[in-house]
Structure formats: C-alpha cells, structure tokens
Amino acid sequence: MNEQIIIAGFGGQGIMLMGQLLAYAGMLEGKYVSWLPSYGPEMRGGTANCNVIISDSPVGSPIVTEATTVIAMNRPSLDKFENSLKKDGLLLINSSLVDRQAERKDVRSYYIDANDIANQLGNLKVANMVMLGALVELTGIASIKTVLESLKKVLGPSKQHLIPLNEQALERGGLRVK
Amino acid sequence: MNEQIIIAGFGGQGIMLMGQLLAYAGMLEGKYVSWLPSYGPEMRGGTANCNVIISDSPVGSPIVTEATTVIAMNRPSLDKFENSLKKDGLLLINSSLVDRQAERKDVRSYYIDANDIANQLGNLKVANMVMLGALVELTGIASIKTVLESLKKVLGPSKQHLIPLNEQALERGGLRVK
Amino acid sequence: MPKVTFKEDLCKGCELCTTVCPRGIVTIAKDRINKKGYNPAIVTDMDKCTGCAFCARICPDVVIEVEK
Amino acid sequence: MPKVTFKEDLCKGCELCTTVCPRGIVTIAKDRINKKGYNPAIVTDMDKCTGCAFCARICPDVVIEVEK
Amino acid sequence: MAEKVLMKGNEAIGEAAIQAGCKYFFGYPITPQNEIPAYMAKKLPKVGGCFVQAESEIAAINMVYGAAGAGARVMTSSSSPGISLKQEGISYIAGAELPCLVVNIVRGGPGLGGIQPAQSDYFQATRGGGHGDYRMVVLAPSTVQEAVDLVMDGFDIADMYRNPVLLLGDGMLGQMMEPVEFKERKPRQLPEKTWAATGWKGDRPRSVINSLFIDPAELERHNIKLQAKYDTIEKEEVRYEAYNTEGAQVIIASYGTTSRIVKNVIDDAAREGIKIGLIRPITLWPFPKEIFAKVVGQQTVKAVLAVEMSLGQMVDDVRLAVNGQKPVYFYGRTGGMVPRPDDILRQVKMILGGEA
Amino acid sequence: MAEKVLMKGNEAIGEAAIQAGCKYFFGYPITPQNEIPAYMAKKLPKVGGCFVQAESEIAAINMVYGAAGAGARVMTSSSSPGISLKQEGISYIAGAELPCLVVNIVRGGPGLGGIQPAQSDYFQATRGGGHGDYRMVVLAPSTVQEAVDLVMDGFDIADMYRNPVLLLGDGMLGQMMEPVEFKERKPRQLPEKTWAATGWKGDRPRSVINSLFIDPAELERHNIKLQAKYDTIEKEEVRYEAYNTEGAQVIIASYGTTSRIVKNVIDDAAREGIKIGLIRPITLWPFPKEIFAKVVGQQTVKAVLAVEMSLGQMVDDVRLAVNGQKPVYFYGRTGGMVPRPDDILRQVKMILGGEA
Amino acid sequence: MVKVFEKPKALTDKPFHYCPGCTHGIIHRLVAEAIDELDIQQKTIGVAPVGCAVFAYDYFNCDMMEAAHGRAPAVATGIKRVHPDKVVFTYQGDGDLASIGAAEIVHAATRGEKITTIFVNNAIYGMTGGQMAPTTLVGQVTATSPYGRQPEIAGYPIRISEMLSTIEGAAYIARVSVHDIKHLMQAKKAIKKAFEIQIKGKGFSIVEVLSTCPTNWGLTPIEALNWLKENMIPYYPLGVKKDIDGGGE
Amino acid sequence: MVKVFEKPKALTDKPFHYCPGCTHGIIHRLVAEAIDELDIQQKTIGVAPVGCAVFAYDYFNCDMMEAAHGRAPAVATGIKRVHPDKVVFTYQGDGDLASIGAAEIVHAATRGEKITTIFVNNAIYGMTGGQMAPTTLVGQVTATSPYGRQPEIAGYPIRISEMLSTIEGAAYIARVSVHDIKHLMQAKKAIKKAFEIQIKGKGFSIVEVLSTCPTNWGLTPIEALNWLKENMIPYYPLGVKKDIDGGGE
Ligand SMILES: Cc1ncc(C[n+]2csc(CCOP(=O)(O)OP(=O)(O)O)c2C)c(N)n1
Ligand SMILES: Cc1ncc(C[n+]2csc(CCOP(=O)(O)OP(=O)(O)O)c2C)c(N)n1
Ligand code: SF4
Ligand code: SF4
Ligand code: SF4
Ligand code: SF4
Ligand code: SF4
Ligand code: SF4
Ligand SMILES: [Mg+2]
Ligand SMILES: [Mg+2]
C-alpha cells in the first residue's frame, strides 16, 4: 500500500483533523504514515489542506506530488487539486458545497453530500467525518473502528461524548459510497 | 632608511603625540611611514606605547618586532621593551623617571633627564619633546624644523602659542645628546 | 434621501455595522454569500436611513459608502 | 584612641578622603609615591581622629581601615 | 518498547527536550516553530520547570545563557530572522563554554522572507553567524523520530563538551506529523557541572561565567583550548547516513527533509536503471568529510550532486570534502519552494548525459 | 594631486565616507572603532549631514535601512559583537536590496572576547551571518590608503548593485596612522534611485521597500534575481593583489593587515633564497578564485599556505579555489595575537621541508 | 447628493486581508482619513511593522517601508533624518512595539524623534497565532499562557502610554479605542493631532489604539468589541496622557 | 579596639582597576556591605555588565556571570528561574542599562522578575572612552556630542527610575548618590532595601546610583563629585520613587 492523499477545504471544515485521524489510523494498523499541513499567516476564512501518506514502506517525502486520492471539501480545492491526482486515482467531492462535476475522466469520482448528511445528523461540523467514512470505505486504508479509536486519542478525555455522533457520521459516509 | 621605533611610557606623558609627530615629520620629508598605538580599556595611569616606522620603501607590517630605537619614558617601559631592541640599536632612557641603567650592552644607550629639563622650561608636559629632540638629533630621521612643522599641523590653529616652548624643548633635547 | 452603498464582495459579514445603526436597518443577508464566502451586510429599509454613516465608520473593511 | 590604617599601595591619590574628614587630618603625601605611582593619602595627626570612618567610607578603593 | 504516538515535529521536539531533562525554555513566537513554545508553556509547569516568553529573541538567548551558566538543561527555539538576532548571544555561549540546545526551524529568507520551509541558514549554522572563532554542533534530522532522538542526543553533546548545539530543521519538519517513540536511552557518561554558578559556599573555586580575556595571549590560549575541543568533536561526533552508495553512478548529498525527497528519487531512478547513492549528513558540523572522500573514490561514481533548499550553501562543504576528486554539481530550490523528485532526477540524467 | 595627510585608519574611513557623499551615519560605540562615530559626530553637521548615536547596534542598522530606503548614502560601523547584532538587519537590507556601507573593525572573539585585532569574523562576513540566501560584497583593505579608496568604491558598488557592502578591517588598521591622499575619483555611472521612498507624488510607481514575499514562488523568483545579481558581482567586482607569484615555491594567501606581515616575510625569505608569492584577496566575497587556480597551477608551486588572524576561516575559500590541485596549509594566530614574520617563515620552511 | 462617507484617498484599492471584524481595518482607515484631511499624502512615508499589519504597505497609498520586527521606530528615524520635511509614521502592534521593540520606541521618544507612531494594542500576538503579549491581561488565556497570564511567572501588562509619558522628548501621547462610534471619532482626532504635532516639529507623538483580535481571542467580532470595552479599558484608561502643545489631562 | 570600618567580606582582595576617584569603587563596596549585612554571600549570584564594571566578576566574592552588553537583566532572569531561592543581582552602567539594554530592563521590571539591579548612572560611556549616553545632560560635551548634547539631534536625558516606576512589576525603585557621606549612607540603605525586597519575593528592585567619571568628564575626582551634585542631581532628583512595601515619597 502507498496511499498519497490530499485533503483540502476551507479553514474551519476540520480538514486538518481528517488528515490526522487518517494518519493515526494508518499508524494503529501498523503502516508507515506522515501528515503534512499547509500553513500560513493566521487568517480566518482561508483555505487549508494537508497531505497524508500511508504506506507499507518508510515514507520518503511527506509531500504528495502525485496523489492517489484527493478529497475536495469545497470548490476552490477541487479547482486547485484535481490535476494533482494520478490516473485512476480517487476523487471525493463534497457535493454539498461544490457546484461542478469533475473534469478529469481518467479518475474515479465520487460525489458525497457531506454537509447535508451532517446537517441531518444535527451537526454541520461532522461533514468531515462523513467524507472520511466514504474514504475508508473506498480504500480500505483503515477500518472505521480504528478511525474511531484514533478519534478517541485525539479528542482527549473531556470530549468522549462526541464519539457516537462521529461514529454515525463515519458510517453514513461509508454507506453513501457502498 | 628603515627606522623601527618603539616609544613607551605612562599614559599622559604624551607618548602617542611623540610618535605621531615623528611619523608626520617622516612623511613631510618624503618617507614611507606608519604609526601604531597600543590601545586598551580606557583607564588612567596605564601604560601606553606606540610603534613608528619610517622607511625609504613602503611599510609592510606596522608592528615593530625588532626595534632600531626604543624610547623608554619610564621604568616599566624600559623593562618591557629593552629586549625588543636589535643589536646596535638606540636606547633612549628618560633618566628623570627611570632609576636603573640599561642591561643590554650591545646597544647604544642615552640617558636624558627629560622631566628635569622640561621642568626647567617651566612645563613638565614637554618632557616628550625633549626626548624627541634627542631622537631626531641622534638619528637624523627628520629635522627639528620638520618636527615643528608637524606640530603646527597636529596642534591646530588654537594652540599655536605653544610652538615656541616646544621648539625650545626639542632643541634642549637635541643639545643634551650632541 | 440618503443612500448607503455596500461593496458587497468586500464584506466579511462581521456584523459590526449592524450594531451601530441608530435606525436598526442594517442586517446580514443570511440567504446569500458573496465571492469571499460570507453572508454580506445589507440595508433593509433605505427610507429610514439618516445618512449618519455610523455603519460606514465602524466597518473595518471600508465596504460602505454613504451619500446624502 | 581610634586608629586609621591605609593600605598605601592601593591608594590612587584621588584625594576624596581629604575632603570628608571632620578634623581635616587626612592629606596627600606629596613627597612620596606608592607602587602604583600615586602620591598616597595619609593621616597627619592621628590624635585628632574621632574614628568616624568618613575617610574610609568615601574611599573608592577600600584603602582605609578604621579601628576604635 | 515505548508506545508510538503521532506527533507534530515541533511538539515532538518539545516533548523530547522535556524527556531529556530540559526544565527551562526561553523563547519568542515566530512561525513556523510556534508549537514549540506553546508546548513548553503547557508542559514545563507540570514537570516543575519554567517557561518564560522573553521580550525578544535576544533576551531569550541571554536567558538561556543565564540558565545554562546556572547549571540547568535549557533550550530556546526560533526561526531564521530570530536566529540571526541570537548570533551575539550564541557567540557568548560558545565563548563562555555553556551547554544548551538552540532549535532553528528554518524558513525562507533573506529579510522577512517567507514562512515556508527552507535550508538557507546552512552557512549561518555551520560557519557561526556570530563573531569569533567558534563552532556549534549542528544536528539535522530528517524525520520527526530522528528529531526526537537528536534533541536528546543534542543535550548530551552540549553537556559533554560544554558547547551550544543547534538543531536545524525546517518548516516541513516542524509542521508535519509522524509516528514517534520516546525510547529509553542509556544515559551517556557526562561530566558534572562543577563550573556552574549556583551560589558559592567556599567548597569549590568561585564560579565565574565569562568570555572576556583582555590579554590577547590569554584569549588565544582560550581559543586554542576551544579549538582542541572542536577537534575532538570532529573526531567523535560525526554522523551521517550513507544510503545505496555502493556502486552508485551519482552521489547525491542532501540533508534534512530534502533527503527524503531524494530517497524517492533514488527509487524512481532505480526503476529506470540509474543507480543513485545518498550521503545524508546528520551532523552538518562536524561535516562527514571522510565518507565523501571514500564513497566518491569509487570507480562507478561519475559525479556528486548537492541538493538543497537553498541557492547553494552545503555545496561548499561537499566540495571541500570531495576536494576535486570528482565534479560536484548543485541543484536547489529556495524561498520556501521544495525540490520535486522529477526535477532532481532530470538533473541526475543531465549530469550522466554530460549536459550539466 | 591632493595633499597627503597622516590619519588614523578609523578617521580616514570616516573622512572617505564623507568625501564619497555619505551624509548619514548611525552607530553605537565599541572599541576599536570609536574614532569613526566620533569623527562623524564632529564632521557630518558641517556638511549638512546628520550623525545619530543609536540606542544599540540593532537600532543603528535599522536606521541605516530607513535612510538607505529613503535614498541616502549611509553608513554604520561597529566591531565584532556589534556586527553579530546587526545580522538580522543586514539580511533585511540585502533582502530589500538597499545600498549601504557597513564597517567591521574586527576584534578577537568569541563572546566579549578582547579588543585587539583579529580576522575571526571572516565566515560571518563572507557567508552571511544572517539568515537566507544573500551575499554582501566584502572589501578588505590592508593600508589606510586602501581603506580610503575602498570606502569610496564601496559606496559605488553598493549603489550599483543595490546591495550592502562590508568593509572588513581590524583593530590594527583602525588604530594605526598612515599617510593618505583623498584622490579625485572619476565617478562611476550609477543608476538613479527611482525606487527610494521619498514621498509619492504620483509621478512614479509607489515606492515600497520590503523583503516579505509570502508566496514561496515569488520569494524564489526574488532569490533567483538576487542570485543573478551576485553572479554579475562575481564576474565584475573581484579584486586582489598578486605579489611575487611568478615562479614562487609557496603561495601565501593572506588579506588585510596580515598580508603586510607576509610581505615582510617574503623579503626575509628572499634573503634566504626562498621564493614566496602572495595572493591577497581584496574582495573576500567575491573571492578571487581564478587567480588561485592560475597561480597555483605553476610547476614551481609546491603548496599554498593561508595565513590569517583566526583559527582557519579563509582557508576554506582557498581550498575551494585550489580544488585539490596542491596541498593547502594553514597558519594562524587568534584572540588578538598577530602572527610574527619569523613564525610564518618557519611554517613555509616546514612545508618545503615536508614537515608540515 | 454629496458623499458623506467614502474610502479615503490615502488607502489603496487593495482589500484588507484582516480577519472579519478585526479593528486593524478601522484604524487603517482613521490614519488614512487624517492623512487626507491634513493633505499630506504626497509627503508621507509610512513604516509597516511585522505583525498582522505587515501588509500595511499594500494599503496605505503613500511611500512605505516594511521594518524588521520591532524596529519600525529606528527605520522611521533613518527616514526622517534624511527627509526632515516629510511626515513619517510607524504603525505597530503590541508585540512589535511593546515587546521586541521596547528599546526602539523608548529611544525614539527620548530623542524626541519627529515621527508619529500608531500603536495597535490588541493584547495579543495576532499574526503568529495568539501568543501572550506584554499587554495581555492578567488571567488571559493565550497560546503561551495556557493557564491564563500568571503575574508570578509573566508579570503584569505594561502600560506603554503611561511609561512613555515620563520621557521629555515625547510631545503627544494619547490612548484611544475604536469599540464604538464615539470612541473611534475621538481616536481619529488623536491621530490627526499626533500628525500635527509632528508637522509642527514638537517632538515624538504616539497614539495607542485599543484594538480587537476576534480570531485569537476566540470571540465573535461583536463580542470582541465588548470584551475590549469591559476588560481592556479598565486596565488601559483612555485619554490624552501628554500634550506639550496644551491640552492633556 | 574594634574595627569600625574594614573591607567587606563580599569583596575579593583584587584591587579595583577603576580610575582614581571613580565612584564605581564606592558603589561596589556598598553592594558588598549590603550582602554582608544580610548574610547572603553564599547564596548570591551577581551579573556583571559590559562597561567599566565589566571586571566586577573579579571583585564580588560570590558566583558571578558576565553578561553581553545590556543583557544582564535577561541573564539574571535565566539564573533566577533556575535558582528561585538564590539572590540575583545585576550591576549595570547607563550605556548598558538605559541604551542598548532598555528593553531588557523594562521587561525584567514588567515580569516583576525577583532580581535586584544596581544602576550606575554616570551620564557617559566610561569604558569606551566617553561617548554620549542616553543619560548625558543637555549641553554636555562627549566624544559623540562634540558640540554638547543638542536636544534637537539627540533628545533629552532619560530618567530611568521615573520611567520604570510606571511599571507594576517594579516593587522598589530609588535614586541615590554617593557624592558625600550622608548620601552614600542613604545609598547603602537603599541597596540593602532593594535586596530585602527581592528576598521577600516582592518583585523587581532597582537602585539608580549617580556616579562620577572623572576621566571622561575631564575633571579631578573632587571636581567630579561637585559636578555630579550641581548638575546631575537637579535633573535626576534623588529619592525613593516606588516602594510597594511601604515608604516612598
Ligand atoms: C525577529 C522576529 N521575531 C519574531 C517574528 C514573528 N512574528 C511575526 S508577527 C509577530 C507578533 C505580532 O504581534 P503584534 O505586534 O502584537 O501584532 P498583531 O499581529 O497582534 O497585530 C511575531 C512575533 C518575526 N517575524 N521576526
Ligand atoms: C554589543 C556591544 N556593543 C558595544 C560594546 C562596547 N561597549 C563596551 S562598554 C560600553 C558602554 C559602557 O558604558 P556604561 O554602560 O555607561 O558603563 P560605564 O563604563 O560608564 O560604567 C560599550 C558601548 C560592546 N562590548 N558590546
Ligand atoms: S447611514 Fe446611519 S442610519 Fe443609514 S444605514 Fe448607516 S448607520 Fe443606519
Ligand atoms: S461592518 Fe463591513 S464587513 Fe462587517 S458586516 Fe458590515 S459591511 Fe460587512
Ligand atoms: S576616621 Fe574620621 S576623623 Fe579619623 S581620619 Fe578618618 S575621617 Fe578623619
Ligand atoms: S580616597 Fe582612597 S584612593 Fe583616594 S586618596 Fe584617599 S585613600 Fe587614596
Ligand atoms: S489574527 Fe487577530 S489581529 Fe490579526 S487580522 Fe485576525 S483578528 Fe486581526
Ligand atoms: S572611565 Fe570613568 S567610569 Fe570608567 S573607571 Fe574611569 S572614571 Fe570610572
Ligand atoms: Mg498584537
Ligand atoms: Mg556610564
């Protein structure tokens, strides 16, 4: 396995957390992993993205130049990263916020209405977990269980009550692409 | 000509000025010259010395390692620099303040009671000029006239009234070793 | 009658202008987003405007122009 | 009777001690120089000393010791 | 075996320092290293230590001087412009022979520059941006795990030799997350800090922490003593990784995060039948000269290529190490741009094709 | 011909600057360069200029940044620790492409060190003690006259390339007096300072003096532009003196005041039938590589000896220039100690005798 | 119809990069209005800091320089000495001015440097993501005071205006706020006055403007204005601290 | 017979290198006497400045560090944080403290750093040969104010004690002089008090001591004391400027 993933969206959409959970889950499943965020001057409303690598062998460059998967949580992200995807790569588009189709025809595109699903679950903030659910379902990088386990570690003791909601979101995301 | 001169004494004895006048005079007489002072943290009562080179060819190192002439204005200076003098070099000792004879027998030593002579002239400060007079007399590095000319330039317009006294001191110094 | 104009695409939806209008006619248009991705501020009832320019003065992004 | 001792070789002849003695008995020995090359301070008439230690207190070089 | 955790480079550096017994941190905010002071502010009070946000980088390095002189394990971190400001202080620390760890998470320069990863402070790090004849040991990790290990080793090296140690990373290393393990380490035998200023009870010579030697002969003696120490370090502390070097056609010299990209290139090249070797200096000073001399001596090696995130700084050291044996080429990106594997490979091909 | 006057190096530097049209000086006291600010304080008001004693070296270099950005010929001077403090500012000046003259009258280090002459800031000067990919032109006079000439040239070079120029002297040069002549110079054709911030009347693009490029691609472009400038400087501005090099058995590389001592050695050696040549870099950056390659190529030359008042800094550049053609040796004194002619000659003999 | 309010000429057309509701934008505009009203745009040279306002050189429509962190007063000194007839101002945050640049501001005041400083005190380091500033209030949680600023460890917030008022060369010092219309009008008056003091050659002038950082305070813009009013003003009393030209408290 | 006056134990036997009549020597002794009287020699760590007092590490008979120019308060902070139970003091000149080290002293005070600073104000840079200091009086001729300090160019002398008094973390601030016996006894009292404040953990304490530099003032030691009295004291009024422990003016 050598998954090279780009996750991108607005700051505030939980982009960084998605990537971290993925990397964490990969690590728990015994893979070599890395997570690399974009960073810049602190300003609200900016865009954010991160690179995640999950591999059977040690990670060389943590920078993803040719992605196996791109998750575009908003329109500018799709515009920016669609071309970074390698042939036959996986393109996950948050169709709730992206008003166009993929241009690439040589990739596997999925449209997930993550914000709408999250809304249905009663909390817009879990749109990222919906997408993550879809991703793990499609790639088998990690099980939803491991992702949840990762979430428990990342959230810390005070926020364990959020686990069930996130579990639901992950599952809904998975179902959406099954 | 390649005169390598060390002049040393207490701070306040006008050591630096002696050296500068010598270098200035050398320059006016068309020689290559350099003047290099010792320097250190500003403290009264310390010792001071300078190196003067007057030469027919361009000056290499401005540091005198083997002196052709040493002027010792006080005892510590004699102790420190007597050995820097090359064989047959010239050793001028301010006998007013130095209470010993030269140890070197392979050099030409002169004892000049510079402070006493200066005192007689009514101004202890010109002891340095007395020594300088002796030096130029003995070496012919420059004429007393050129030294005086240099002094005029160095003193600046406001202090020209001091020239006659200094001229006297130079002459008295010259006479002392004639 | 005073006229208040919003350079809508500069608005960041911070809502500061909505707090200072003596006539309470400045609000956020919850129903649309501008190019920057914010719900922009608007004047609901221009007739009531006094042209006091308070809204413009507090706006950190120089979004608003006022004529009288 | 108070006793004032000078570590003469430390003296720098600054004369500060001469200005504070209430009895005016501290002066500079113009006739001799110490190791450092200064005319050192001395007490001329120890009998008059009150042991006030003013001379010692103003001395910047801790030259003076006073006993009483 | 300790548990593996996923950590940001900057936070891992902080945690490693704490586990190495560092109780004092003095710093000043600057991107992209802000997670280090934030981590220390959070954690040091819990281990009985102390975090002070200094008023400036200069104050920070001088607080480090004070704390190190007082006998503590102490650290500061910053990024390029802030490290420039610390140069006088670092020179003082080297001059007074105090141990400490300085971290530079490099960003693009010169001037205010940018905040993206760069390696353009190599000269400053290895040549002493400060004045006088002195050296810092410069450690250049390429992974978060290595950063952790080198932080711990760095404190030991600092204490061993009474010398400042610089950990040189970049924005990428500081910001990325990787699994790390805080291993049990067998402690190095370190000299006692009898020289530290801790209050003088008369039971040892009075401690005076100082770098002033007004008599030049004394200062020269001091400098020669320092030089002897540096000679020992050059003998004892050189570290590098030589990867795939046997029979290589081209040797790439690269360090830190850049070397990871080079590793990708090596794999890509292998697929095309080109054999590239990597020498990755882990200590930038002392520079691993000997391995270069040795590897480059191989018949197979046609050339050496230095790859850096700068416009050519380490390449000087590579040239000095290669000493004319083989041609040395350079490829670099700068200002926060990161070399791409395909561009590096193109360089290698050009060299082999005689076009470079 | 102008009149010859006997002047202290430091004062001559000040006078040369004024004659070169420098009207602004910002500095802070430090031995052994105090005569420069004192001279400027006395003279600048008389030429309608301005001397400001800054609160620190950092403030001074940033005042220089401001004045240079405002279009003025401007200068600062200091000595080693003070120059370390200026590194961030110098990096900013290089980054914003501002012209100015910085003078370092070097003293022994590291730390507070001493105040006697040294050359141990060579690395800092030539490698940029500051952060980022930048260079300063470094001029190293060996006589007071040359200091005067190079100060004047230095301002022109700075304006020509919009780059800081460093004049690197030492305590000996600053304190000694020699005859100097302030020659009529034919002015170099210099570009107009249309970029300067002088108040914007709309008749030119708004002037923005800046070194921030938040987009790394932009910063890289800026760096590459700077690099192109440095390449031009390397081509156009190299200066050196080659003395007695033809048929020499040993080439000594030495600069500044040390090279004067070497000249004595050359005479002494000649008397003993040993032929020594001297290459004296006048620009330390750009370093005169080519002349080394050329001279050292001579059959007669057995070896190169770098002589410095440091523990070995320029020797790196000499090695890089010689590139393995001939062995390169080093002899240095440090901490304010000055090499003695007889000791240097002994080194040469040891080299020739195969003992070094 | 006449424009009763429009963008001042001394601002460029570049939209501000500041976070929504950040009062840096208001303060920029007030400075620009003062420049317009005094008709000095053509002879003004501004100095941008390192901080969120670093891009001020893109916004003020006059010649600008970007200074190293904290050194704007030194840079301004260099400019002013070369162009004594120009109007030179610095725009600096509290990290920039009160922390790393403390010596530079104290000495610009001491020299009576004829420059004007706009000092934006938002009790935090905005640009770098919300670390403690010397002006951070006691108890305030920041990235580097995670348990709230504790006086035992980090001391008490510094009152720059009061401190500089002890310096002879400082001619005009005022602390203002922009949390409501009334106060921002006063702020503008103070800024204009500060420029006038410079133009008259009286000495150093500085206006400390209390400002918000909704992002790093973790508040909405409206909440942030209230927090400023309720927490900052009691510790940082508003008013003219010094005015050698008459006035003052 | 009892010794009514002898060299304090907290001074080593090394003779001072100061110029004849330089009051640095008196001030050293007063500090040492305070250390003796408080019996804290074994737990005191001193920090020497860069300035004429650079060799203070040879004179104070306790552990000492030599700090970079102006940075003594930062160095002392580092020491004190490691050894909160020790007594840490800095000894600094006016160039060191008021000029290059202005930020460091302001922030040591701001942090309420529990250290004591002895600030020797002699209105000049002694060590480097008599340049203008920020404390140099108007009109005073120095190497870098050859026409006398001109306020138009160099501003007015800075009153450090008054400036620091505006800072909350400063617990004790006094200005004293040593030009006569009465005043030097007061100086000693202030120095002792400053140490006591530190020992009690009250915060930052500083004693500004007016001092002479006969060499660079170009006066005899006696003339220098008079010059201090007649010129410095009127501009630098003596007294306790702040004492959170009670007292003050
Ligand atoms: C020498 C140096 N140190 C640190 C930094 C990092 N830095 C950038 S902005 C900033 C602080 C900004 O805070 P402030 O001045 O309060 O301005 P604000 O962003 O709050 O407006 C810092 C520390 C830097 N660029 N240069
Ligand atoms: C960074 C740095 N800048 C400048 C100097 C030079 N220097 C040494 S002492 C001194 C000033 C001393 O004046 P002050 O602090 O008033 O002490 P004083 O000698 O008057 O007691 C200076 C500028 C230095 N050593 N280091
Ligand atoms: S101008 Fe005044 S009344 Fe009109 S909308 Fe704006 S704030 Fe309201
Ligand atoms: S104040 Fe300005 S930016 Fe904020 S909501 Fe109103 S118009 Fe928009
Ligand atoms: S102790 Fe008092 S009375 Fe005695 S000599 Fe000294 S000053 Fe005079
Ligand atoms: S005060 Fe001290 S140093 Fe000065 S003259 Fe008196 S004893 Fe000597
Ligand atoms: S981080 Fe704070 S100060 Fe900076 S722009 Fe955002 S709100 Fe304003
Ligand atoms: S130079 Fe001045 S301050 Fe320094 S020791 Fe001499 S008199 Fe004292
Ligand atoms: Mg701020
Ligand atoms: Mg002083």
Side-chain angles (χ1 to χ4, degrees), chain C residues 13 24 28 36 40 44 48:
Chain C
I28 297 293
K36 279 203 154 92
T44 48
K48 291 202 190 139

Side-chain angles (χ1 to χ4, degrees), chain B residues 42, chain H residues 18-19 22 24 52 122 126-127 212-216:
Chain B
E42 222 67 26
Chain H
Y18 298 106
C19 302
C22 172
H24 263 305
C52 279
N122 60 7
M127 177 77 152
T212 66
C213 177
T215 299
N216 289 302

Side-chain angles (χ1 to χ4, degrees), chain A residues 42-80:
Chain A
E42 222 67 25
M43 271 166 291
R44 262 191 200 163
T47 57
N49 69 75
C50 62
N51 292 184
V52 177
I53 295 175
I54 300 179
S55 172
D56 292 326
S57 52
V59 177
S61 170
I63 299 171
V64 174
T65 35
E66 270 203 318
T68 57
T69 298
V70 166
I71 304 184
M73 292 294 286
N74 65 7
R75 169 76 192 259
S77 301
L78 180 62
D79 296 348
K80 190 165 175 193

Side-chain angles (χ1 to χ4, degrees), chain E residues 97 133-134 213 216-232, chain F residues 109-110 310-311 330-335 337:
Chain E
E97 294 193 85
D133 281 306
Y134 76 93
F213 299 87
E218 243 185 86
L219 181 52
E220 182 175 60
R221 272 195 297 280
H222 177 66
N223 273 318
I224 288 171
K225 186 184 126 198
L226 292 182
Q227 189 59 47
K229 179 167 89 175
Y230 300 143
D231 290 344
T232 310
Chain F
S310 86
L311 283 176
F330 167 74
Y331 178 70
R333 298 297 299 270
T334 185
M337 296 302 286

